[in-house]
Amino acid sequence: MDLTYPPEAEEFRERVQRFLADSLPEGWTGLGALPPDDQAEFQRNWRQRLLDNELLGVTVPAEYGGAGLTLVEQAVLTEEFVRVGVSVLPHPNDNFGFNLLVPTLLQYGTEKQKAFFLPRTLSGEIRWAQGYSEPDAGSDLFNLRTRATVSGGDLVINGQKIWQTAGLTANWLFTMVRTDPGAERAKGLSFVLVPLDQPGVELRGIRNITGVTELAEVFLTDAVTSLDNVLGGLGNGARVALTLLGFERGISGVANAEAFAIELRRLVQLAHARGRSADRDIRLRIAHCQVKVHTLRCVALRALSAGLRGGPPGPESSLTKALTAEYHQLVTELAVEVLGMAALAPTGPGAYDTLKAQPLGLDSASSAAWVEDYLNARSRTIYGGSSEIQRNTIAEQILGMPREPRPAAAR
Amino acid sequence: MDLTYPPEAEEFRERVQRFLADSLPEGWTGLGALPPDDQAEFQRNWRQRLLDNELLGVTVPAEYGGAGLTLVEQAVLTEEFVRVGVSVLPHPNDNFGFNLLVPTLLQYGTEKQKAFFLPRTLSGEIRWAQGYSEPDAGSDLFNLRTRATVSGGDLVINGQKIWQTAGLTANWLFTMVRTDPGAERAKGLSFVLVPLDQPGVELRGIRNITGVTELAEVFLTDAVTSLDNVLGGLGNGARVALTLLGFERGISGVANAEAFAIELRRLVQLAHARGRSADRDIRLRIAHCQVKVHTLRCVALRALSAGLRGGPPGPESSLTKALTAEYHQLVTELAVEVLGMAALAPTGPGAYDTLKAQPLGLDSASSAAWVEDYLNARSRTIYGGSSEIQRNTIAEQILGMPREPRPAAAR
Amino acid sequence: MHFDLSTEQRDLQASVRAFLAKESPTEAARELPETEQGYDPALWSRMADDLGLHALAVPEEHGGIGASFVELVVVLEEMGRQLVPSPFFSSAVLATRALLRSGDVDAMSRLLPGLAEGTTIGTLALTEDDGSWDLDAVRLAAEPDGNGWALTGAKAFVPDGQSAGLVLVVARSAAGLCLFAVDGDAPGLSRSALPVLDGTRRLARLEFDRTPAVLVGADGAAGPGLRRALEDAAVALGAEQIGAAQRCLDMAVGYAGTRVAFGRPIGSFQAIKHKCADMVLDIESGRSAVWQAAWSVSVDGNDVPLAAAAVQAHCSEAYVRAAQQNIQIHGGIGFTWEHDAHLYLKRALSSRELLGAPDQHLLRIADQMGL
Amino acid sequence: MHFDLSTEQRDLQASVRAFLAKESPTEAARELPETEQGYDPALWSRMADDLGLHALAVPEEHGGIGASFVELVVVLEEMGRQLVPSPFFSSAVLATRALLRSGDVDAMSRLLPGLAEGTTIGTLALTEDDGSWDLDAVRLAAEPDGNGWALTGAKAFVPDGQSAGLVLVVARSAAGLCLFAVDGDAPGLSRSALPVLDGTRRLARLEFDRTPAVLVGADGAAGPGLRRALEDAAVALGAEQIGAAQRCLDMAVGYAGTRVAFGRPIGSFQAIKHKCADMVLDIESGRSAVWQAAWSVSVDGNDVPLAAAAVQAHCSEAYVRAAQQNIQIHGGIGFTWEHDAHLYLKRALSSRELLGAPDQHLLRIADQMGL
């Protein structure tokens, strides 16, 4: 048992701290403190600065233009960035590229695929969206209708994908399609990379619960991608997708815990401001949140440590996913209760991030941000595998409990 | 909308109050205040006094030796009795006789059955136990293995029943047996009344979670009962049993709410004594219990009012059952938390009742009673249809949600 | 004993339900908040003229129909179910009950007919910038001014405060808590609409600068009447909440019966089924408590303080839970702007805080329990 | 970074598990509480002599093995899993850590070897009749008496206080909080066993009447060391709780896999499955937190106050929930005296209160958060 980072990681931490000190303006108090109108430009410049300093997508190997660092260095960088309130992945599509697709590419990609996609993902030339869900396949991940047929060196794709976060700013989609219509469910699926900028693709925005067009749906009508853009080979899509879901669920735990701790400090300030900090029930509930964040951090650190020793993520990622999603509902519900009537007439800057806790610097009195966080948190137990599905996975794959019996044919 | 009792019920209430004033000793503060050693004798005498005054089993028609009163008068009597801390049904087996079997007998019994069983249930000559469950059929009520074959004018029964509360003091069992082995599940069952005092019957005690032998199991080996003791006719057992479960769940709601209110006053005293009454979280949690008791009383009153207008109880009884069971877990958990370390070294008189709140008069400082109540409450979400089964019933029968599909044959 | 709606009450329920389903479809709850007024004046008039809803629980001597509080509660459950964006609660409940409980027969004769006819929209201005519904927290100052009074200070979070023609203002004079009638257009009154989470319930901030006001009831004696009016309103709001929660349940059950996953309707999975059963437990408990409390209000029962607080403590949470679970059961689609589910959630949040959050009601109950 | 047990720690875990499964079957947890001593002295000696468990985390200079706190935690998780009725926690955790954290090298040299060998059973007497684990609540009076000290007053709920040969008593002198070593047979000390809910953890009431006592550490300076010792104990208790919760989960999963209802193993129903998954979430969170805290204790980390309080706040509730759900999943059989489920529930309740209920730990965290 040793929870310290190795010396080389601590050296890297110092480098990161120096970089941050050199890069951030005087009096910097976090992205959350920037006027909302200035945030987009700051993020563009910040991404470029990261790229210039080899601090974007640091685990991409050097031969593909990355820094070739390890998971532990990535964790250190993330910690330091979250602590001072700057983004590790400044563009909305970077999350899907670097946290989901890049590790999958590194595991399943051919040399040619890696050489093509990795540098372009780094440069921002390719901006990824995910395409797991279809209108009739949400939780039932492999019940896909989108089909692709081989035509010469291409795949021709027809169908619909939905719930693309940041879909409208993406120009490539990674998705699963059915390439063998005769095979059952998970068999006969392939994982493909599809350019969105082509006549066969139509993107439509979807407004979310706060009225923001943050999501999209993709209509594929004879959309074309090269057979070279199949990842892991035709018919192996389910395996690739499951690995990818594992990455999604495992990797961001430590950073989440750090961001949650910052959010909780903001809640403490709010409780003081609203005159609730002496109420024993509120004290207990906020401390309970702190316990949750602490245990979440411990679980995530354990996963990180396991990840350092190699091997693809397993069903344990369902733990982090469920804990994180449900925690964020808990804490934002509490915040809305602490706001009281003030929640009904939201003021102040709104949420910067929709899928995670707000960056350092946000005014704790901004009721608009708390309310948006509460509303956005409703989706956390739904997307990326609902809390119900996570519990099925935990019960069946970790505990080995019996699966639901197959229904008999209708009578 | 009119929630007042009718004038004749209020007249009856006065009669009950006079009876109580005449019958209870000077300075009476409730059964809970009697020294535990005196309780059994008090209950024996009390039962006799009720019988002598036609206040036992008041809804039994006059022609069978009862008072022939209505449900509303029974409710009034129950309220008044609970309020002063005396039992409506003083013998442990009376609950099963009067709350479960008597209404079923009145609905399904033949004239001969009623004439035989009702007076003897009143007198206490016959003491009933229920026999729903078998070792392999708990929640799955109709998955019964106990079989009965017709032999002359008799049924010969073989099998095992389990979880008979107060089974060791009973001398008759009402139970379901399979009389048609070819029929599937709920079909082919019959509801029979079986004398326990015969060679084919063996009763064994089961110690419960507190170490008390409160339960029993019944082994039936060529046990015999007359065909005249089938209720509702051969093969109609499932229908009779479902009606009976409805009675069990609906009838005692108002009395429960009254008893819960008394219990909650005891908890308030405990909170004061333990120095917790100023803690905002404890105040909120106790008040939350009060809200639960209040709403439970409203639900029960609505059920009572519906019952007055006739008709057998429906699936709504699942509401009362689940609410009551879960409330009693909630409040006893809270009490144990308020006790703190004192819960670990229980002192004072223990619980008098195992299936409901303790009678008026119990010392609030008796940690033994609170701890036993907590432990006994664990069974409330299990017996008589678990909370999970109640929710299935509510979803399927009240909301009409789709049933679990039948599993396909194993492959 | 008849703990159920009467045949006439069922008829009222059915006719209001049919009317609102036709005249105020849930698109209205999505579109009207985008308009300047925030409600549909034509519908408002028809509710008053055709159905007499505003007048329902107002005594006949003050221009009302003289039905009991139970009838009002029946109507509010339907409005909650249909999410009608309307100042009905502010006018026919808050303002009307504040007047009725004031004991000031003169003020009632003057002001109730307009509210009952729907020609005047009324509201109650109680909360100030701290958002507290506790009468002890009221600070707005009332001072004698010639023959009348003048108010100075601010009220915040006033429901429909922007559109009300009659604002009943809770203020503090040298003698204590008072209720005042203030004209919506009175000099020295400036009103600003607040940005709202729940567009179906408009809120405003009202600033008073020596604003002329007419005292309702006796100087310094408004406390007891206001407390009773707030209890009445708590029961009425509970009815709205239960109606809306029921609609959430209906939506969830409907969706779960048709949406198929893993070869089965998702409603056949226990995870979904038990969530819906929990909603039934919440809603049936709440409806029973609302009806009981409404009846108790109608007969001036002793238990109204407990019953009303219990209704709010229970129904506020029940509705929020139902609205949240409805979204969860719907999955992705339930999280979109286009689906109605979020409208019900936002209304659930606004209803939970209105008249005081559940903990405020619970603490009141704790006081009553001798804690 | 290696956030996992080492190979050696896994070996220790396996050997302790195998030993206890054989030597302390759960029947022991049912039968030993009925005996006068309440534990098995032969097993106690074998745990000390054959496995060296008592000596494990005691430094070598005081007769111990000198392993880290993590090893101790590994052992305690196994004891919790197997529900071993034994004064191990009192002696090897409470008493041992109180001495180790006292800073009094003399006392350590004198007293630790006996505890490490298992020839002395030790305990810590802190709580008094109000049951508070708050050091500020300690009232027992210490007065100088000749060359030594005399104690007067009472301690309650002292774990294994009846059988301990060495009682470390927290008392208050004129200078402040002190720790004293008192012989179990000291004159003026009368001990009475209390009736207990959880038979696997004996409690006693101790009355002191000018009982001679030896000061450990400096007069009035025991507070900081005791706080640290209690933090250590909180982590160790968390390990016990997680081990026991894991056993509850194992029992529930095992039963649900074989019990058939409605033609299916009940473990295939989501209602059961999701309960078990909730237990996994609780337990894996708890185990991660316990290991993190144990490591932090072993390196004297700054975050021990938070980590230890978090362990108790989380693991206490996690174990109670697991024990309750285990009974629910077992149905009727889980409610019987003959089944082990209730033993785990009673232990869960006693563990929750030991060292302070969760709310006490949460309030401590709130203080640390600046609330």
Side-chain angles (χ1 to χ4, degrees):
Chain A
M1 193 83 62
D2 178 10
L3 274 64
T4 53
Y5 288 94
E8 57 278 17
E10 293 299 340
E11 278 168 36
F12 179 70
R13 186 187 302 278
E14 283 168 32
R15 193 194 128 197
V16 170
Q17 288 170 342
R18 277 195 307 275
F19 165 78
L20 290 170
D22 293 347
S23 307
L24 292 171
E26 194 79 10
W28 173 258
T29 53
L31 181 63
L34 280 192
D37 291 345
D38 299 351
Q39 287 173 338
E41 193 197 337
F42 177 87
Q43 292 291 64
R44 267 194 306 279
N45 296 338
W46 184 248
R47 192 181 194 284
Q48 191 56 49
R49 187 155 175 84
L50 294 184
L51 202 54
D52 295 345
N53 287 271
E54 291 198 332
L55 287 174
L56 187 73
V58 289
T59 56
V60 174
E63 63 260 46
Y64 306 115
L69 300 178
T70 68
L71 210 55
V72 73
E73 282 152 330
Q74 188 189 3
V76 163
L77 176 123
T78 305
E79 275 179 10
E80 295 300 319
F81 274 35
V82 170
R83 274 176 199 154
V84 299
V86 289
S87 298
V88 176
L89 299 170
H91 191 277
N93 294 96
D94 285 339
N95 173 41
F96 302 99
F98 290 103
N99 284 338
L100 298 181
L101 187 65
V102 164
T104 314
L105 261 177
L106 289 174
Q107 184 159 347
Y108 290 102
T110 62
E111 194 47 50
K112 200 175 144 198
Q113 288 170 333
K114 288 190 272 191
F116 182 83
F117 288 109
L118 290 172
R120 286 169 179 80
T121 301
L122 278 168
S123 73
E125 180 186 337
I126 292 186
R127 299 179 303 279
W128 293 99
Q130 55 77 15
Y132 307 126
S133 294
E134 296 187 3
D136 287 320
S139 294
D140 191 358
L141 191 63
F142 296 132
N143 182 33
L144 299 179
R145 296 200 182 167
T146 299
R147 295 188 176 196
T149 49
V150 178
S151 167
D154 286 339
L155 277 174
V156 180
I157 309 172
N158 282 282
Q160 184 189 350
K161 297 287 171 179
I162 194 166
W163 312 128
Q164 282 66 51
T165 302
L168 295 188
T169 51
N171 58 7
W172 277 75
L173 181 76
F174 54 86
T175 189
M176 247 190 317
V177 296
R178 190 167 296 285
T179 43
D180 180 354
E184 216 180 288
R185 287 181 58 82
K187 295 161 194 157
L189 299 178
S190 300
F191 193 99
V192 297
L193 313 178
V194 184
L196 293 174
D197 189 10
Q198 59 166 310
V201 173
E202 188 194 349
L203 273 161
R204 288 189 206 153
I206 301 176
R207 280 197 292 176
N208 73 8
I209 194 170
T210 64
V212 174
T213 306
E214 174 219 2
L215 301 160
E217 52 191 330
V218 183
F219 297 84
L220 302 151
T221 312
D222 290 335
V224 177
T225 195
S226 163
L227 267 175
D228 293 344
N229 293 332
V230 174
L231 210 56
L234 275 177
N236 285 327
R239 191 159 54 96
V240 178
L242 282 179
T243 310
L244 173 145
L245 281 173
F247 283 119
E248 179 188 31
R249 290 164 188 166
I251 205 131
S252 49
V254 180
N256 271 332
E258 199 68 44
F260 286 155
I262 289 168
E263 178 180 59
L264 216 37
R265 290 201 289 275
R266 193 155 51 90
L267 180 56
V268 169
Q269 289 170 4
L270 180 71
H272 280 298
R274 303 282 318 162
R276 302 298 305 270
S277 56
D279 290 347
R280 201 175 191 269
D281 55 317
I282 296 294
R283 289 166 59 80
L284 290 172
R285 288 170 69 189
I286 295 180
H288 177 69
C289 286
Q290 176 78 301
V291 170
K292 291 258 177 196
V293 171
H294 175 78
T295 56
L296 194 55
R297 182 171 163 271
C298 292
V299 171
L301 268 179
R302 222 171 123 200
L304 174 66
S305 165
L308 290 179
R309 281 172 285 163
E316 294 74 20
S317 56
S318 286
L319 301 177
T320 330
K321 171 68 170 68
L323 290 171
T324 307
E326 291 160 29
Y327 169 73
H328 211 229
Q329 293 188 345
L330 185 77
V331 71
T332 55
E333 282 167 29
L334 176 53
V336 168
E337 285 187 52
V338 170
L339 278 171
M341 285 297 286
L344 306 197
T347 56
Y352 176 78
D353 272 315
T354 55
L355 298 181
K356 46 189 181 175
Q358 301 309 316
L360 185 75
L362 186 69
D363 182 3
S364 68
S366 170
S367 53
W370 285 117
V371 168
E372 282 179 47
D373 274 345
Y374 166 85
L375 292 171
N376 283 324
R378 305 319 312 167
S379 74
R380 294 189 76 140
T381 51
I382 296 170
Y383 72 74
S386 69
S387 274
E388 290 80 13
I389 295 290
Q390 305 304 339
R391 281 175 172 69
N392 283 352
T393 303
I394 292 167
E396 291 168 12
Q397 294 185 31
I398 298 181
L399 296 176
M401 295 183 78
R403 304 178 71 89
E404 293 271 350
R406 233 186 145 72
R411 289 176 307 171
Chain B
M1 193 81 65
D2 177 10
L3 273 64
T4 53
Y5 287 94
E8 58 275 19
E10 291 300 339
E11 278 168 37
F12 179 69
R13 186 187 302 276
E14 284 169 32
R15 193 194 129 198
V16 171
Q17 287 170 343
R18 278 194 307 277
F19 165 78
L20 290 170
D22 293 347
S23 306
L24 292 171
E26 195 78 10
W28 173 260
T29 53
L31 181 63
L34 281 191
D37 291 346
D38 300 351
Q39 287 172 338
E41 193 195 339
F42 177 87
Q43 292 291 63
R44 268 194 306 279
N45 296 336
W46 183 248
R47 192 182 195 285
Q48 191 56 48
R49 187 154 175 87
L50 294 185
L51 202 55
D52 296 344
N53 286 271
E54 290 198 331
L55 287 174
L56 188 73
V58 289
T59 56
V60 174
E63 63 259 47
Y64 305 115
L69 300 177
T70 68
L71 210 54
V72 74
E73 281 151 331
Q74 189 189 3
V76 163
L77 175 124
T78 305
E79 275 179 11
E80 295 300 320
F81 274 36
V82 171
R83 276 177 198 154
V84 300
V86 290
S87 297
V88 176
L89 299 170
H91 190 278
N93 294 97
D94 285 337
N95 173 40
F96 302 98
F98 290 102
N99 284 338
L100 298 180
L101 188 65
V102 164
T104 314
L105 260 177
L106 289 173
Q107 184 161 345
Y108 290 102
T110 62
E111 193 47 50
K112 200 173 145 199
Q113 287 171 334
K114 290 191 271 190
F116 182 82
F117 287 109
L118 290 172
R120 287 172 179 76
T121 302
L122 279 168
S123 74
E125 182 186 335
I126 292 185
R127 298 177 305 276
W128 294 100
Q130 56 76 16
Y132 308 126
S133 294
E134 297 188 0
D136 286 322
S139 294
D140 191 359
L141 192 62
F142 296 133
N143 183 32
L144 299 179
R145 297 200 182 167
T146 299
R147 296 189 175 196
T149 49
V150 179
S151 166
D154 286 339
L155 277 174
V156 179
I157 309 172
N158 282 283
Q160 185 189 351
K161 297 287 172 180
I162 194 166
W163 312 128
Q164 281 65 52
T165 302
L168 294 188
T169 51
N171 58 7
W172 277 76
L173 182 77
F174 55 86
T175 189
M176 249 189 318
V177 297
R178 191 167 294 286
T179 43
D180 179 356
E184 216 181 287
R185 289 181 57 83
K187 295 160 196 159
L189 300 178
S190 300
F191 193 98
V192 297
L193 314 178
V194 184
L196 293 174
D197 189 11
Q198 59 166 308
V201 173
E202 189 195 347
L203 275 160
R204 287 190 206 152
I206 302 176
R207 279 196 293 176
N208 73 8
I209 194 170
T210 64
V212 174
T213 306
E214 173 219 2
L215 300 160
E217 53 191 330
V218 184
F219 297 84
L220 302 150
T221 313
D222 291 335
V224 176
T225 195
S226 164
L227 267 174
D228 293 343
N229 292 334
V230 174
L231 210 55
L234 276 177
N236 287 326
R239 190 158 56 96
V240 178
L242 282 179
T243 310
L244 172 144
L245 281 174
F247 285 121
E248 180 189 30
R249 292 164 188 168
I251 206 133
S252 48
V254 180
N256 271 333
E258 199 69 44
F260 286 154
I262 288 168
E263 178 180 58
L264 215 38
R265 289 201 288 276
R266 193 155 52 90
L267 179 55
V268 170
Q269 289 171 5
L270 180 71
H272 281 298
R274 302 282 319 161
R276 303 298 305 270
S277 54
D279 289 347
R280 201 175 190 268
D281 55 316
I282 296 294
R283 289 165 59 81
L284 291 172
R285 288 171 70 188
I286 295 180
H288 178 69
C289 285
Q290 176 79 301
V291 170
K292 291 257 176 198
V293 170
H294 176 78
T295 56
L296 194 55
R297 182 171 163 272
C298 292
V299 171
L301 268 179
R302 223 171 122 199
L304 174 65
S305 166
L308 289 179
R309 281 172 287 164
E316 293 75 19
S317 56
S318 285
L319 301 178
T320 331
K321 171 68 169 68
L323 291 171
T324 306
E326 290 160 29
Y327 169 72
H328 211 228
Q329 292 188 345
L330 185 77
V331 70
T332 55
E333 282 166 28
L334 176 53
V336 167
E337 284 187 54
V338 170
L339 279 171
M341 285 296 286
L344 306 197
T347 56
Y352 175 78
D353 272 315
T354 54
L355 298 182
K356 44 188 183 177
Q358 301 309 317
L360 185 75
L362 186 67
D363 181 3
S364 68
S366 170
S367 54
W370 286 116
V371 168
E372 283 179 47
D373 274 346
Y374 165 85
L375 292 170
N376 283 324
R378 305 319 312 167
S379 73
R380 292 189 76 142
T381 50
I382 297 169
Y383 70 74
S386 69
S387 274
E388 291 80 14
I389 294 291
Q390 304 303 338
R391 281 174 172 70
N392 283 351
T393 303
I394 291 167
E396 292 169 11
Q397 294 185 31
I398 297 181
L399 296 176
M401 295 184 78
R403 303 178 71 90
E404 293 272 350
R406 234 186 143 70
R411 288 176 306 174
Chain C
M1 178 179 292
H2 181 87
F3 192 161
D4 202 351
L5 300 183
S6 66
T7 311
E8 295 74 21
Q9 287 161 346
R10 291 257 171 234
D11 290 346
L12 172 67
Q13 183 180 55
S15 68
V16 174
R17 187 175 301 179
F19 175 83
L20 293 177
K22 183 156 174 287
E23 305 297 334
S24 185
T26 42
E27 291 84 68
R30 179 184 301 282
E31 289 162 9
L32 286 172
E34 307 291 323
T35 65
E36 200 196 318
Q37 283 174 303
Y39 71 101
D40 177 357
L43 181 72
W44 176 261
S45 300
R46 289 194 57 200
M47 279 173 15
D49 302 343
D50 301 358
L51 300 180
L53 300 185
H54 306 67
L56 203 58
V58 175
E60 291 175 70
E61 65 264 36
H62 299 307
I65 293 173
S68 85
F69 195 74
V70 177
E71 276 76 16
L72 184 60
V73 149
V74 166
V75 170
L76 282 159
E77 186 172 334
E78 296 309 312
M79 291 200 177
R81 177 192 300 263
Q82 202 61 25
L83 213 65
V84 182
S86 157
F88 188 83
F89 187 83
S90 301
S91 192
V93 179
L94 287 175
T96 301
R97 301 309 291 188
L99 282 170
L100 280 171
R101 296 301 196 185
S102 71
D104 184 335
V105 179
D106 258 20
M108 290 186 225
S109 304
R110 239 174 24 248
L111 301 171
L112 281 175
L115 295 176
E117 283 166 18
T119 49
T120 304
I121 293 175
T123 192
L124 178 68
L126 192 163
T127 47
E128 303 184 357
D129 286 327
D130 65 356
S132 171
W133 286 88
D134 188 343
L135 291 173
D136 295 339
V138 169
R139 292 285 167 271
L140 188 103
E143 295 201 328
D145 185 32
N147 289 334
W149 293 79
L151 306 183
T152 300
K155 291 286 176 184
F157 312 109
V158 181
D160 300 299
Q162 177 76 346
S163 51
L166 167 65
V167 185
L168 294 168
V169 182
V170 185
R172 197 167 289 283
S173 74
L177 213 61
C178 307
L179 184 66
F180 292 94
V182 174
D183 199 282
D185 300 323
L189 170 59
S190 49
R191 314 196 273 184
S192 52
L194 297 172
V196 284
L197 164 65
D198 166 23
T200 66
R201 180 123 57 206
R202 293 288 179 102
L203 299 173
R205 190 162 188 283
L206 274 56
E207 292 188 12
F208 300 80
D209 180 13
R210 300 200 54 78
T211 307
V214 179
L215 183 67
V216 176
D219 182 17
L226 277 167
R227 253 169 229 115
R228 292 187 66 187
L230 289 172
E231 285 160 6
D232 298 347
V235 178
L237 181 60
E240 257 198 33
Q241 290 167 316
I242 288 303
Q246 179 71 55
R247 179 82 184 92
C248 291
L249 173 58
D250 293 346
M251 287 163 75
V253 169
Y255 184 77
T258 53
R259 171 81 179 178
V260 171
F262 306 101
R264 306 162 46 174
I266 62 170
S268 70
F269 286 103
Q270 283 186 332
I272 304 297
K273 219 175 249 189
H274 289 191
K275 280 190 176 69
C276 291
D278 285 339
M279 289 156 88
V280 172
L281 291 168
D282 268 352
I283 290 169
E284 289 304 323
S285 299
R287 184 173 285 126
S288 302
V290 166
W291 286 0
Q292 187 275 341
W295 175 79
S296 204
V297 164
S298 75
V299 299
D300 278 334
N302 288 331
D303 74 337
V304 170
L306 168 66
V311 159
Q312 268 312 293
H314 177 86
C315 297
S316 287
E317 301 287 14
Y319 179 19
V320 171
R321 277 193 293 263
Q324 289 180 341
Q325 293 294 21
N326 184 38
I327 290 178
Q328 182 70 21
I329 290 169
H330 273 81
I333 194 80
F335 183 68
T336 61
W337 186 258
E338 273 62 37
H339 196 277
D340 289 343
H342 73 93
L343 301 172
Y344 281 86
L345 176 61
K346 291 168 183 173
R347 176 83 167 196
L349 293 178
S350 93
S351 302
R352 181 175 66 186
E353 298 300 328
L354 196 70
L355 307 180
D359 61 348
Q360 295 306 315
H361 297 283
L362 289 173
L363 291 177
R364 207 164 296 137
I365 291 171
D367 289 342
Q368 294 174 35
M369 296 176 80
L371 265 176
Chain D
M1 179 180 290
H2 182 87
F3 192 161
D4 202 351
L5 300 184
S6 66
T7 312
E8 295 73 22
Q9 288 161 345
R10 292 257 171 233
D11 290 346
L12 172 68
Q13 183 181 53
S15 69
V16 173
R17 187 176 299 180
F19 175 83
L20 293 177
K22 182 156 177 287
E23 305 297 334
S24 185
T26 42
E27 290 83 68
R30 180 185 300 281
E31 289 162 8
L32 285 172
E34 309 291 323
T35 66
E36 201 196 318
Q37 284 174 300
Y39 71 100
D40 176 357
L43 180 71
W44 176 261
S45 301
R46 289 194 53 200
M47 279 172 12
D49 301 344
D50 299 359
L51 300 179
L53 301 185
H54 307 66
L56 203 56
V58 175
E60 291 176 69
E61 64 264 36
H62 299 305
I65 292 172
S68 86
F69 196 73
V70 177
E71 277 76 17
L72 184 59
V73 149
V74 167
V75 171
L76 283 159
E77 186 172 334
E78 296 310 313
M79 291 200 177
R81 177 192 300 263
Q82 202 60 26
L83 214 65
V84 182
S86 157
F88 188 83
F89 187 83
S90 302
S91 192
V93 179
L94 287 174
T96 300
R97 300 308 291 188
L99 283 170
L100 280 171
R101 296 301 195 184
S102 71
D104 183 335
V105 180
D106 257 20
M108 292 187 224
S109 306
R110 239 176 21 249
L111 301 171
L112 281 174
L115 295 176
E117 283 167 17
T119 49
T120 304
I121 293 176
T123 192
L124 177 69
L126 193 163
T127 47
E128 304 185 355
D129 286 326
D130 66 357
S132 171
W133 286 87
D134 187 344
L135 290 173
D136 294 340
V138 169
R139 293 284 167 271
L140 189 102
E143 296 201 326
D145 185 33
N147 289 334
W149 291 78
L151 305 183
T152 300
K155 290 286 175 185
F157 312 109
V158 181
D160 300 299
Q162 178 76 345
S163 51
L166 166 64
V167 184
L168 293 169
V169 183
V170 185
R172 197 167 288 282
S173 75
L177 213 60
C178 307
L179 184 67
F180 293 94
V182 174
D183 198 285
D185 302 321
L189 170 60
S190 48
R191 314 196 272 184
S192 51
L194 296 172
V196 283
L197 164 65
D198 166 23
T200 66
R201 180 123 57 206
R202 293 287 179 102
L203 300 173
R205 190 164 188 282
L206 274 54
E207 291 186 12
F208 300 80
D209 180 14
R210 301 198 53 79
T211 307
V214 179
L215 183 66
V216 176
D219 181 17
L226 277 167
R227 255 170 228 114
R228 293 187 66 185
L230 290 173
E231 286 160 5
D232 298 347
V235 179
L237 181 59
E240 256 198 35
Q241 290 168 316
I242 288 301
Q246 179 71 54
R247 179 83 184 92
C248 292
L249 172 59
D250 293 346
M251 288 163 75
V253 170
Y255 184 77
T258 53
R259 171 80 179 179
V260 171
F262 306 102
R264 304 160 50 172
I266 62 170
S268 70
F269 286 103
Q270 283 186 333
I272 304 296
K273 220 176 250 191
H274 290 190
K275 280 189 176 69
C276 291
D278 285 339
M279 289 156 87
V280 172
L281 290 168
D282 268 352
I283 291 169
E284 289 305 323
S285 299
R287 185 173 286 125
S288 302
V290 166
W291 285 1
Q292 187 275 343
W295 174 78
S296 204
V297 165
S298 75
V299 298
D300 278 334
N302 288 333
D303 73 339
V304 170
L306 168 65
V311 159
Q312 268 311 292
H314 178 87
C315 298
S316 287
E317 301 288 13
Y319 179 19
V320 171
R321 277 193 293 263
Q324 289 179 343
Q325 293 293 24
N326 184 37
I327 290 178
Q328 182 69 21
I329 291 169
H330 274 81
I333 194 81
F335 183 69
T336 61
W337 186 258
E338 274 62 36
H339 197 277
D340 289 343
H342 73 93
L343 301 172
Y344 282 86
L345 177 61
K346 291 167 183 173
R347 177 82 168 196
L349 293 178
S350 92
S351 302
R352 181 175 66 185
E353 299 300 328
L354 196 69
L355 308 181
D359 60 349
Q360 296 305 316
H361 297 283
L362 288 174
L363 291 177
R364 208 163 294 138
I365 290 171
D367 289 342
Q368 294 174 35
M369 296 176 80
L371 265 176

